[in-house]
Amino acid sequence: MSMTPEKIAVGKKLVWARKPYLPREDLMGDFIGRERELQMLAAAWIGGPRSQPLSPLLVGPPGCGKGRLAIELAKRMGLDLYVCQGFENIGADELACTLVPADAGNGQIEYVLSALATAMVVGGVAFLDELSRYPGQALSLLASVLDDRRYLDLDLIGERIHAHPNFRFIAASNVEDVQGLPEFLRSRLFPTLMLEQPAPEVISTIVQRQFPAQQQLIGELLTGFWRLWDRSTADP
């Protein structure tokens, strides 16, 4: 993966770009499971001159691996990943372009592209996490990004950016929040992948891979953990 340059040209202006998210490989470990989901998402991202890639939505409870799946997908596709974290007070400008004081301290201002806009310009993956937490005004910007127009208007600088051919989009939301998404957005997000918590054998394999030097101890702890888990889930 390539690092995004600090400043890029948008129309006649030079603007600051966001840097991609670079996960620590020593903490991530091997990707285990979800191969079927990865294949489906990779197929959804196939695009060409006469067909645009789809924009998948991952739906599942917290901790089921939605973000990890997006990270692995971008890695296997060889694309930089730009993460947009949803929260209730984010404005439409923050999802497009914002202003910051210049480092020179001379009262001038500079423009900073959002993670979404940077991914569109350079041809990376935009991952909008916690999609349901974005207010409706901010989400309205996605209408032209996710249909056949494939552009985003940056009102602050008076420019329109068109998506790079390599630009890909993926979003995630918790199960209970999906119904609150605007209809115009739900109709543009496809396919929807419903994710559940990984199976016990997958979780056990992940834990064992993370602690290769303590295999015997980890095995005993996992056996005890799943015994207690089965007992707790069986209780009324």
Side-chain angles (χ1 to χ4, degrees):
M1 294 186 180
S2 61
M3 289 295 292
T4 304
E6 291 186 340
K7 277 193 172 184
I8 55 180
V10 176
K12 297 181 179 180
K13 295 181 176 65
L14 281 178
V15 299
W16 290 99
R18 301 285 181 177
K19 292 187 180 298
Y21 171 67
L22 299 176
R24 287 182 54 182
E25 294 294 337
D26 58 327
L27 296 180
M28 296 297 292
D30 297 330
F31 185 82
I32 301 169
R34 305 285 193 203
E35 290 296 331
R36 176 177 174 273
E37 289 85 349
L38 277 174
Q39 292 175 6
M40 293 178 63
L41 292 170
W45 275 0
I46 295 175
R50 298 184 180 180
S51 62
Q52 71 177 51
L54 301 177
S55 302
L57 173 64
L58 307 177
V59 179
C64 71
K66 300 186 292 294
R68 184 68 174 89
L69 188 58
I71 292 171
E72 184 66 19
L73 182 63
K75 177 181 177 182
R76 296 195 185 189
M77 299 290 288
L79 298 173
D80 286 332
L81 179 68
Y82 298 87
V83 180
C84 307
Q85 189 66 41
F87 58 92
E88 290 84 355
N89 296 326
I90 190 171
D93 288 343
E94 293 173 273
L95 203 54
C97 183
T98 54
L99 299 174
V100 296
D103 290 339
N106 54 8
Q108 294 184 347
I109 58 174
E110 294 185 309
Y111 302 98
V112 181
L113 293 179
S114 69
L116 170 65
T118 302
M120 292 182 68
V121 173
V122 304
V125 175
F127 174 45
L128 268 65
D129 198 10
E130 307 250 14
L131 188 66
S132 59
R133 297 186 64 185
Y134 290 85
Q137 183 182 10
L139 290 176
S140 65
L141 292 182
L142 296 177
S144 61
V145 176
L146 302 183
D147 61 19
D148 56 2
R149 290 173 287 179
R150 303 276 285 177
Y151 67 67
L152 177 64
D153 284 327
L154 307 178
D155 293 337
L156 277 178
I157 62 175
E159 297 286 352
R160 171 176 292 176
I161 57 174
H162 291 268
H164 188 284
N166 291 338
F167 170 67
R168 296 295 185 270
F169 181 95
I170 187 169
S173 183
N174 294 332
V175 177
E176 62 272 17
D177 299 330
V178 176
Q179 298 304 319
L181 293 175
E183 180 58 33
F184 82 86
L185 186 58
R186 292 174 59 187
S187 66
R188 287 168 166 80
L189 295 173
F190 184 82
T192 298
L193 268 64
M194 303 297 297
L195 303 180
E196 299 179 351
Q197 296 291 356
E201 57 269 21
V202 174
I203 295 177
S204 296
T205 301
I206 293 172
V207 174
Q208 290 170 340
R209 294 277 185 92
Q210 289 293 95
F211 303 96
Q214 295 88 23
Q215 288 300 302
Q216 182 176 354
L217 177 61
I218 292 298
E220 294 174 356
L221 290 173
L222 284 170
T223 299
F225 173 81
W226 290 119
R227 186 182 299 118
L228 292 172
W229 178 269
D230 292 338
R231 186 182 306 168
S232 66
T233 55
D235 292 339

